[in-house]
Structure formats: C-alpha cells, structure tokens
Amino acid sequence: MNVKLFGEFFVTLLVIVDPPGMVPVFLGLTGSMPAKARNKAATQAVLLALGVIVGFAVAGQTLLDYLHVQLPALQAAGGLLLVLVALQLLTGKTDEPAEQGGTSNVALVPIGTPLLAGPGAIVATMLYVQRAESADEYLILAAAILAVMACVWLVLRFSGVIVRLLRPAGIEVLTRIAGLLLAAIAVQLIADAINAFVKSYAALP
C-alpha cells in the first residue's frame, strides 16, 4: 500500500472539508432539530458528499468538458448558493423550512454540497485521480475518501454534545456566527472564481 499517497490525499481532503469548522454551520442549520433528526441529517449530508466526490472522481472532468463548464464556474455557483444560505442564517429565517419537512433539504443542501463536497474537495479529488497510475492507487484514493467522510460523520454525529452545552440562546448566537462565516466563505469562493476567469482570459492571445 502506498502510505505516502494515502496520507497526502487524506490530509489534503481533510483540511479542505474541515470537520471542526463545519460544526458551527451544521449546528446553526440543525441546532433546533430533535437529536434524532439532527443525527439523520448528519448521515444524509455525509452520504451525499461521498456520492458527489466519488462521482466527480470517476466522471467529473468528462462531465464538465461535455457541458463546456470550467471549474471556476462551478466554484462561483457554489459561492452564490452559500450567499443565499448565509442570508437565511443572518436573518433567522431557517425555522420554517424545517417545520415543513425541509430537514432533508438542509442536510443535502447546503451541508452535503457545497459545504462538504464543495469545489475545493471536488477539484482536489479530480487532480489526485488524474495523477493515479494503477488500480492500486485508485483503491488507495477511495480508501482516503472513505476515511475522511468517516471523520466528518463522527464530528457531526456527536455535535449534539455541543447543543446540550450551548442551550437555545447559545445556538441562536452560533447561528449568526455561522451566517457570517458562510458569507465570508461565499465571497472568497466567488472572488477566487473571478480571479481564475480573469487569468484564463488574460492568457488568451
């Protein structure tokens, strides 16, 4: 087993996904849910993120080429989606969707994607897959993806301990902080996408 390849990809993907940094956002979106629903949301989010990352690892470049979509466009789209979610968190308008059965939607979007399976994770995975030269290396990358998703699930699954410590008032404050963090992430994603587009078109003859 190529331990070096596993370690490099595992650390890279883990840093990009950032499980500890996901906790405030996850609790901001699910803190008012019952523990069972919150645990279900964590599982759904991780399974979706796993599916998206594996899907792009297998056929991502082919799909983007077929649709004539550049990676910066995918990045900008993720940023715009996060802006909408950040506004909901900052204005406190997140309770109504949950009451109307929106738990799955919150788990899938934005937690599953684009937060967990975002442009950074997708691009990093696609680059490592392109570098792989044998079936063994593909299996190593798959194992690293599973290991990262397992770490994320454990962090989100046991975030309920934080909920019990913070109480409703603390969750309310955490929700606003999560909104600010998401807004900053969204602006950075869009800025990086614009920068990539400018460099791409400036390089044209």
Side-chain angles (χ1 to χ4, degrees):
M1 178 177 177
N2 191 336
V3 178
K4 181 180 179 182
L5 176 62
F6 178 89
E8 285 181 358
F9 184 47
F10 175 82
V11 172
T12 299
L13 192 58
L14 190 68
V15 169
I16 292 173
V17 175
D18 188 19
M22 272 297 303
V23 171
V25 179
F26 179 74
L27 292 180
L29 290 167
T30 65
S32 60
M33 295 179 184
K36 186 177 180 180
R38 187 168 55 252
N39 293 338
K40 181 180 178 181
T43 302
Q44 289 176 331
V46 169
L47 288 177
L48 174 66
L50 177 62
V52 170
I53 290 175
V54 171
F56 272 94
V58 173
Q61 193 59 57
T62 302
L63 177 63
L64 293 181
D65 290 343
Y66 177 76
L67 296 175
H68 304 290
V69 173
Q70 299 179 34
L71 286 175
L74 185 67
Q75 195 169 1
L80 291 174
L81 178 60
L82 290 185
V83 167
L84 296 177
V85 178
L87 289 175
Q88 289 181 342
L89 289 174
L90 288 170
T91 56
K93 296 180 179 178
T94 59
D95 293 333
E96 185 178 351
E99 292 174 0
Q100 296 179 355
T103 300
S104 296
N105 290 334
V106 171
L108 303 181
V109 179
I111 298 173
T113 181
L115 287 177
L116 293 179
I122 290 172
V123 172
T125 302
M126 289 171 61
L127 290 176
Y128 271 91
V129 168
Q130 290 172 3
R131 285 170 45 188
E133 298 177 349
S134 66
D136 289 343
E137 292 187 347
Y138 288 125
L139 290 175
I140 289 170
L141 295 179
I145 293 172
L146 289 174
V148 170
M149 289 298 107
C151 291
V152 173
W153 183 81
L154 287 172
V155 170
L156 298 185
R157 172 66 177 76
F158 293 102
S159 61
V161 177
I162 302 175
V163 172
R164 290 194 292 271
L165 292 174
L166 292 178
R167 312 272 179 155
I171 292 296
E172 182 72 18
V173 173
L174 196 60
T175 299
R176 299 297 185 267
I177 295 174
L180 286 173
L181 292 174
L182 271 186
I185 293 171
V187 171
Q188 188 63 55
L189 283 174
I190 295 172
D192 289 344
I194 293 173
N195 185 47
F197 273 124
V198 170
K199 288 183 177 179
S200 175
Y201 286 109
L204 294 176

